Amino acid sequence: MKKIEKYIYIILAVILIGIISAGTTYIIMKNNDKREIKENDNKTNNNEENNNQDIALDEKELELYLSYIPFLDAVLPVDEESEQYEDAYNGKKNTIDNINNEILLYKAYRKTDEYIFSKEEDIPILNNLEICDFKPCKLAQYYKEADINKNLLNMYNKKSIDIKVLSIPGGGLFYQKPYYAEHWGAGSSVYNKINKKIKGEKINDYIIIEEEALFTRFADYDKDVKQIDNKTPIKIYKNTFDLKNNKEVLNKSIIYIDNNDIKDGLITKKFIDLNNYVFTKYKHTFKKGTNGYYWYSTEVI
């Protein structure tokens, strides 16, 4: 009888140990599951934070993307009366959809390197004899259509723009497959942009750049301008609409600045910093496209 009781106790002890082991295993597994879920949640949150992280642009990137913005540094005539196109800095909200293709093509061309032919005989003869008073009609500067189109894609997410003749300052740009030929040249910049306090960030599929800017033009031929030794007359404007239409001038008159404050045809920031001008603040948006980030919009903020 005692042996039977002993076996019963042993069996009960084994069963009890089994129950305790199973319970412990269940608790451990459940805790592990909770820990794993928490770790996965943390990873997900960290990934979301990384995806939404703002990445500041460096100086080189800022310079590159600012060069994409459709700013006209010279007169780009629309017609024989020299009516002018409005660019992205005209004081209104502008997007890629309402800026003229002529401006976009002009900007892409200005960022394209001239194509140099290895031999004189390789230079193509142009069919448009109206632009030449000599035969054969060959011009001095040519640009590959493929190179201009590459810049169009990088800057504006456009594969090409179908414009055969583009009036440019001091001449024209003429298309004859597979080249654009430049007649006379682009001339010098008469409009300048002075900017400061530039900052930019990459946020997911966008780049946002904030910029403070003023615009100037040389006033050498304005009425009542005075000729002063070692001085250059200029006018300063808050946006390009006022500048190109000779509207409100910030300083209300012509300013005569020292020639040392002009470098490579541009007015130095030093001159602007020494004067208490109120800059216009712009927000530029760039979207991720086929070949990187392209200019999408500009607005005053």
Side-chain angles (χ1 to χ4, degrees):
M1 187 72 180
K2 288 184 177 180
K3 284 185 178 180
I4 294 173
E5 289 178 355
K6 185 178 181 182
Y7 288 136
I8 291 172
Y9 288 135
I10 291 172
I11 292 169
L12 289 174
V14 170
I15 293 172
L16 183 61
I17 291 170
I19 292 171
I20 293 171
S21 298
T24 303
T25 302
Y26 174 77
I27 292 169
I28 291 171
M29 289 177 65
K30 195 167 184 180
N31 287 337
N32 286 340
D33 288 342
K34 286 182 179 179
R35 191 181 300 113
E36 196 172 314
I37 291 170
K38 188 174 182 180
E39 287 176 356
N40 288 335
D41 286 343
N42 289 337
K43 286 181 181 177
T44 301
N45 291 334
N46 288 335
N47 287 335
E48 287 178 356
E49 287 176 5
N50 289 334
N51 288 336
N52 293 322
Q53 188 177 13
D54 298 351
I55 303 173
L57 300 182
D58 60 32
E59 190 173 335
K60 190 174 181 180
E61 288 175 312
L62 284 171
E63 184 179 353
L64 173 67
Y65 290 116
L66 285 175
S67 72
Y68 289 4
I69 301 168
F71 165 61
L72 288 179
D73 57 1
V75 178
L76 194 65
V78 176
D79 53 31
E80 293 179 356
E81 296 179 357
S82 292
E83 180 185 343
Q84 297 174 57
Y85 294 108
E86 290 191 30
D87 63 22
Y89 289 97
N90 64 1
K92 307 170 187 176
K93 180 168 182 177
N94 295 283
T95 72
I96 192 70
D97 297 320
N98 74 283
I99 293 292
N100 293 84
N101 279 335
E102 283 79 0
I103 296 179
L104 305 183
L105 179 60
Y106 174 76
K107 293 291 290 184
Y109 136 75
R110 290 299 296 268
K111 284 186 73 69
T112 303
D113 293 328
E114 178 188 353
Y115 180 71
I116 306 297
F117 293 93
S118 57
K119 299 178 183 177
E120 175 73 23
E121 54 265 31
D122 292 337
I123 300 176
I125 298 173
L126 301 180
N127 299 325
N128 189 345
L129 297 180
E130 294 180 5
I131 65 175
C132 294
D133 55 3
F134 49 84
K135 293 182 180 180
C137 183
K138 291 186 176 183
L139 300 183
Q141 291 176 294
Y142 290 80
Y143 302 84
K144 276 191 171 181
E145 176 190 11
D147 292 342
I148 288 181
N149 286 345
K150 182 179 178 181
N151 282 332
L152 280 172
L153 188 63
N154 290 341
M155 299 165 71
Y156 307 117
N157 206 40
K158 291 179 178 285
K159 293 182 178 179
S160 63
I161 290 177
D162 185 18
I163 294 176
K164 299 295 189 290
V165 179
L166 177 68
S167 295
I168 61 175
L173 197 65
F174 304 91
Y175 174 71
Q176 183 170 303
K177 192 175 182 65
Y179 301 103
Y180 281 91
E182 180 185 296
H183 185 41
W184 293 116
S188 60
S189 300
V190 293
Y191 306 143
N192 298 311
K193 180 181 72 170
I194 307 292
N195 56 18
K196 68 175 185 177
K197 292 185 180 177
I198 307 166
K199 65 177 183 179
E201 294 176 325
K202 286 183 183 178
I203 307 172
N204 298 330
D205 291 338
Y206 294 88
I207 285 177
I208 306 296
I209 294 178
E210 292 184 2
E211 172 193 29
E212 295 184 15
L214 286 178
F215 302 88
T216 67
R217 74 173 178 84
F218 296 114
D220 305 70
Y221 302 105
D222 281 32
K223 185 179 179 181
D224 300 328
V225 68
K226 299 175 183 176
Q227 299 299 326
I228 303 176
D229 290 343
N230 299 317
K231 297 284 186 180
T232 298
I234 66 165
K235 287 185 175 180
I236 302 177
Y237 302 82
K238 65 181 180 181
N239 59 54
T240 55
F241 178 83
D242 290 350
L243 181 154
K244 293 171 186 179
N245 292 280
N246 204 19
K247 298 290 185 180
E248 180 183 358
V249 182
L250 286 183
N251 48 284
K252 305 297 182 185
S253 63
I254 295 173
I255 295 177
Y256 295 86
I257 69 172
D258 195 282
N259 288 346
N260 292 328
D261 287 319
I262 300 175
K263 185 177 181 180
D264 298 326
L266 300 175
I267 297 164
T268 64
K269 290 185 179 181
K270 178 184 174 184
F271 169 80
I272 296 296
D273 290 341
L274 290 174
N275 295 274
N276 192 26
Y277 293 110
V278 178
F279 281 65
T280 302
K281 193 171 184 179
Y282 294 89
K283 174 186 172 184
H284 310 292
T285 301
F286 299 79
K287 291 178 72 173
K288 197 168 188 178
T290 305
N291 206 25
Y293 293 89
Y294 67 95
W295 176 82
Y296 177 73
S297 69
T298 292
E299 58 189 301
V300 175
I301 55 175

